[in-house]
Amino acid sequence: MNFKRNIQERSAGFQMAPMIDIVFILLIHFMAATVFAQWEKKVDITVPTASTATEQQRQAGELILNVDSEGRLYINSQPYSDETALELLKQIAGAFQDQPIILRADKETNVQQLLHVMDLCREADVWNIALATVTPQE
């Protein structure tokens, strides 16, 4: 008896369904990344230049505090008063001990206003603070 006569060899072929899934996942990832990047840059701030500025690796969960030239504080493009910002920072510091904060201050911001925001962070027990700068353009 020959049982192999009815068996046909089939090639695996190219599967489209998994490829479509991967494309949709990548699309969602890049859409979300674009939205979050726009949140932190929505406030019109020109950060100061520093000749020794280097691009740092972004940390997961970092919070970006924006201070405009008048000294107003923005978190996720929303203006915050000192009291509400302090409460938010205390809640974040209570939940995450090593919470990274990036402080984006306008180059026209008064140093006293910048130190006031840093004092708010220190009062909330946030110590991991970095100042945002850019390299000067030739």
Side-chain angles (χ1 to χ4, degrees):
M1 292 189 121
N2 187 2
F3 292 109
K4 294 185 180 184
R5 183 175 51 164
N6 294 331
I7 298 176
Q8 297 176 354
E9 294 286 328
R10 292 182 6 187
S11 63
F14 183 74
Q15 300 292 319
M16 283 300 291
M19 289 303 289
I20 291 172
D21 291 344
I22 291 172
V23 168
F24 279 129
I25 288 172
L26 287 173
L27 179 67
I28 291 169
H29 169 74
F30 287 117
M31 286 172 48
T34 302
V35 168
F36 290 132
Q38 288 175 353
W39 277 358
E40 68 187 45
K41 304 248 188 235
K42 201 169 197 178
V43 179
D44 189 26
I45 291 177
T46 305
V47 294
T49 60
S51 60
T52 59
T54 59
E55 188 170 336
Q56 298 294 321
Q57 190 74 10
R58 299 288 303 261
Q59 297 179 14
E62 63 190 13
L63 181 66
I64 298 176
L65 301 179
N66 294 300
V67 182
D68 67 2
S69 58
E70 283 83 32
R72 292 185 298 254
L73 179 63
Y74 295 88
I75 302 173
N76 288 338
S77 300
Q78 300 295 322
Y80 275 77
S81 67
D82 291 344
E83 296 81 23
T84 55
L86 180 62
E87 287 301 316
L88 177 67
L89 289 171
K90 283 182 180 179
Q91 290 174 0
I92 291 172
F96 307 102
Q97 289 181 337
D98 297 335
Q99 175 66 40
I101 301 285
I102 295 182
L103 189 54
R104 291 183 70 233
D106 193 271
K107 65 181 180 180
E108 301 297 324
T109 304
N110 189 345
V111 175
Q112 184 62 40
Q113 295 165 333
L114 184 62
L115 288 175
H116 177 69
V117 174
M118 292 176 82
D119 279 342
L120 286 175
C121 292
R122 185 66 200 135
E123 189 176 338
D125 201 27
V126 175
W127 58 270
N128 192 0
I129 302 172
L131 296 174
T133 59
V134 294
T135 55
Q137 298 296 325
E138 299 293 329

